[in-house]
Amino acid sequence: MKERIFFKTFGCRTNIYDTELLKSYVRDYEIINDENLAHIVVINSCTVTNGADNDVKTYINSLQKRGVKIILTGCGAIKGKEFLDKKQIFGVLGASHKDKINEFLKTQKSFYELGNLNFIDKDSVKEYKNHTKAFLKIQEGCDFKCSYCIIPSVRGKSRSVKEENLLTQVETLVQNGYSEIVLTGTNIGSYGLKEGTSLGKLLQKMGQISGVKRIRLGSLEPSQLDESFFEILDETWLERHLHIALQHTSEQMLRIMRRKNRTDKDLKLFSILANKGFALGTDFIVGHPGEKEELWNEALENFRNFKLTHLHAFVFSPRENTHSATLEGKIDNVLAKQRLRVLKDIVEKNNYEFRKKQNVKLEILVEGLKNGVYEGYDQFFNKIKIKSDKKLSKQWLSIDKYEVKEKTNEANL
């Protein structure tokens, strides 16, 4: 009987992709979805914030009580030596060693193999058993030097997957039944820049592949959107939601954070996209050192003008070996959380107003049944709940009659 292995994924869409790729290399073990039955647990970790580190640590502690064999990989692998020295885990596997996971699982001796940060995965994920849509990683790493961010040190410099390989991968995914593709990576806006191409040019070719119904994009940097990207904004296969990372809306705070974007240019960009009917999301860090009252007030005034409908915001978390961790002018955590709540309230109201004004059919890929109600996301990345006696999982629906609720849209079919 084969030993049973469970994969636990923390963090972003890129980690979801990496986990599926890791699974594809497992040959001598049974991959299961119930962690309580596993002999081995592989943790694909995230280290973007202190909270992410704590989540991984808490999970490792819970596994230790059950006596399972633990392998740590992902961005948090850089902190694996600490766990290994305390015998809290069995091994650490760097991202460049994904294709060797089967042999590392078979070893009887603890290991610490971080690998290198220059790799590009030579294989791709062809099937997602637990997802209705497919994730496609188009690049690794980031060349930005934002003062608060540890990710370039754990993912490396930006490097892109060859265009022809990606187009072949999309064709394969379509053949395998996936009509919604989600592009992911550490910094997807940097795609192809070192090879004389761009994300926009890649998307133009992907959108022409027969069977592709929708392409969703991971987080974009406003400073990286070029003419080739603006040329695809009216394409029907492009999701009508764009997530563009601002991180802050005070000009001085952007300089402190060593960001490349500029508030005035950001406002113009978001205005253009909003006028085209896009739902707009962003990342925002609250409470970064230097966020004095006057800068916060400036940021808040600007923030209201962006008409954001989605928000991924969090309180600043100092990361070891980053410039921000050395800065003075730290913000009280209680005050930072109050500021965070203000931003969330603004965006929740914006989202509700956005949905009330819509006068279009919602195109939804139903993801599954939850508590007797089907759920899926429309083209604006808003969740919709659907009551129906029919089996709707993994189906595309076009709905023009629905009720707009404060948190979600609801429909009866």
Side-chain angles (χ1 to χ4, degrees):
M1 180 179 176
K2 290 184 177 180
E3 284 190 291
R4 295 184 294 270
I5 181 171
F6 175 79
F7 284 82
K8 175 69 173 181
T9 305
F10 289 89
C12 63
R13 292 167 173 173
T14 302
N15 271 11
I16 293 175
Y17 177 92
D18 287 344
T19 292
E20 295 302 318
L21 190 55
L22 281 163
K23 288 180 181 179
S24 71
Y25 293 123
V26 174
R27 298 181 300 278
D28 299 319
Y29 299 82
E30 178 188 357
I31 299 174
I32 61 172
N33 292 323
D34 186 348
E35 63 184 283
N36 295 311
L37 300 177
H39 302 104
I40 304 170
V41 174
V42 176
I43 302 173
N44 192 357
S45 60
C46 174
T47 189
V48 69
T49 64
N50 286 331
D53 283 342
N54 289 334
D55 288 343
V56 172
K57 185 175 182 178
T58 300
Y59 185 66
I60 288 174
N61 290 339
S62 71
L63 293 176
Q64 278 190 294
K65 297 175 184 177
R66 301 215 312 267
V68 299
K69 188 175 182 179
I70 306 170
I71 310 298
L72 182 67
T73 187
C75 292
I78 196 170
K79 297 179 178 294
K81 194 68 165 61
E82 176 185 340
F83 294 116
L84 200 62
D85 289 344
K86 294 179 180 179
K87 301 187 183 304
Q88 292 176 297
I89 61 176
F90 182 79
V92 176
L93 188 70
S96 62
H97 290 314
K98 292 188 194 75
D99 59 339
K100 298 183 179 67
I101 186 171
N102 196 75
E103 58 190 83
F104 276 111
L105 288 170
K106 294 167 74 173
T107 184
Q108 300 300 310
K109 186 178 179 181
S110 291
F111 57 89
Y112 181 74
E113 295 289 345
L114 276 184
N116 66 76
L117 297 179
N118 302 314
F119 72 95
I120 281 286
D121 295 322
K122 61 183 180 182
D123 298 305
S124 62
V125 179
K126 299 177 176 60
E127 187 176 7
Y128 291 84
K129 293 183 179 180
N130 299 319
H131 297 275
T132 55
K133 49 188 174 289
F135 298 87
L136 180 61
K137 185 165 67 175
I138 65 172
Q139 62 85 227
E140 285 274 8
C142 181
D143 291 339
F144 280 27
K145 296 180 180 179
C146 302
S147 65
Y148 50 82
C149 189
I150 195 175
I151 297 304
S153 66
V154 298
R155 285 279 183 180
K157 295 285 188 180
S158 179
R159 58 242 189 240
S160 302
V161 180
K162 290 182 179 179
E163 181 183 273
E164 57 266 30
N165 293 351
L166 292 173
L167 297 177
T168 299
Q169 289 176 41
V170 172
E171 291 172 349
T172 300
L173 290 169
V174 169
Q175 290 169 6
N176 290 341
Y178 300 96
S179 53
E180 179 170 326
I181 312 295
V182 182
L183 302 192
T184 186
T186 315
N187 179 5
I188 66 172
S190 67
Y191 177 81
L193 297 182
K194 296 176 182 177
E195 292 77 27
T197 184
S198 68
L199 174 63
K201 292 176 182 177
L202 173 68
L203 286 166
Q204 289 173 5
K205 295 179 181 179
M206 283 186 174
Q208 295 175 14
I209 296 175
S210 178
V212 172
K213 186 173 177 67
R214 182 154 69 203
I215 298 178
R216 290 193 184 276
L217 305 176
S219 182
L220 299 166
E221 288 290 337
S223 62
Q224 293 176 330
L225 302 185
D226 64 1
E227 189 60 35
S228 68
F229 187 83
F230 285 96
E231 290 173 356
I232 64 167
L233 293 181
D234 295 324
E235 296 289 350
T236 57
W237 44 261
L238 179 66
E239 66 162 340
R240 307 307 294 172
H241 162 267
L242 293 173
H243 187 96
I244 302 174
L246 297 174
Q247 304 299 357
H248 216 281
T249 48
S250 159
E251 189 64 31
Q252 188 173 333
M253 284 305 303
L254 290 176
R255 305 287 72 74
I256 292 172
M257 298 163 80
R258 296 181 175 177
R259 294 282 298 163
K260 292 186 177 182
N261 52 309
R262 300 290 184 271
T263 302
D264 56 346
K265 292 182 179 180
D266 293 342
L267 275 168
K268 290 178 183 178
L269 171 64
F270 274 62
S271 178
I272 291 171
L273 296 173
N275 288 335
K276 281 186 167 290
F278 280 91
L280 296 169
T282 199
D283 296 319
F284 199 107
I285 299 174
V286 179
H288 186 282
E291 192 185 72
K292 295 180 290 188
E293 187 72 20
E294 60 267 31
L295 296 186
W296 166 249
N297 290 334
E298 173 206 344
L300 186 57
E301 182 179 354
N302 289 334
F303 188 88
R304 296 181 190 278
N305 293 325
F306 278 88
K307 304 302 180 186
L308 288 152
T309 58
H310 296 71
L311 181 67
H312 178 223
F314 46 90
V315 172
F316 170 75
S317 174
R319 311 303 290 135
E320 188 179 355
N321 298 321
T322 64
H323 177 68
S324 292
T326 69
L327 296 178
E328 297 181 354
K330 292 180 172 56
I331 306 302
D332 176 75
N333 197 55
V334 174
L335 177 60
K337 287 182 178 179
Q338 291 173 351
R339 292 175 176 179
L340 178 64
R341 186 68 259 171
V342 170
L343 297 185
K344 287 184 175 180
D345 288 343
I346 291 171
V347 175
E348 286 176 6
K349 182 179 179 181
N350 286 350
N351 183 277
Y352 185 43
E353 294 300 321
F354 179 88
R355 287 184 288 116
K356 286 198 295 185
K357 292 178 182 178
Q358 284 174 351
N359 189 27
V360 297
K361 287 186 177 181
L362 301 183
E363 303 295 334
I364 302 141
L365 177 58
V366 180
E367 296 190 353
L369 191 64
K370 185 176 182 179
N371 298 324
V373 179
Y374 287 100
E375 293 184 350
Y377 286 86
D378 63 22
Q379 64 269 43
F380 304 102
F381 200 52
N382 287 318
K383 182 183 287 187
I384 183 165
K385 296 184 176 182
I386 307 161
K387 294 181 180 179
S388 176
D389 295 329
K390 302 176 183 178
K391 292 183 178 180
L392 301 178
S393 293
K394 299 184 179 181
Q395 293 186 33
W396 281 96
L397 299 177
S398 183
I399 297 177
D400 56 2
K401 294 182 179 179
Y402 50 90
E403 185 178 0
V404 178
K405 295 288 187 72
E406 193 169 346
K407 297 295 183 181
T408 63
N409 291 337
E410 296 183 1
N412 287 291
L413 296 182

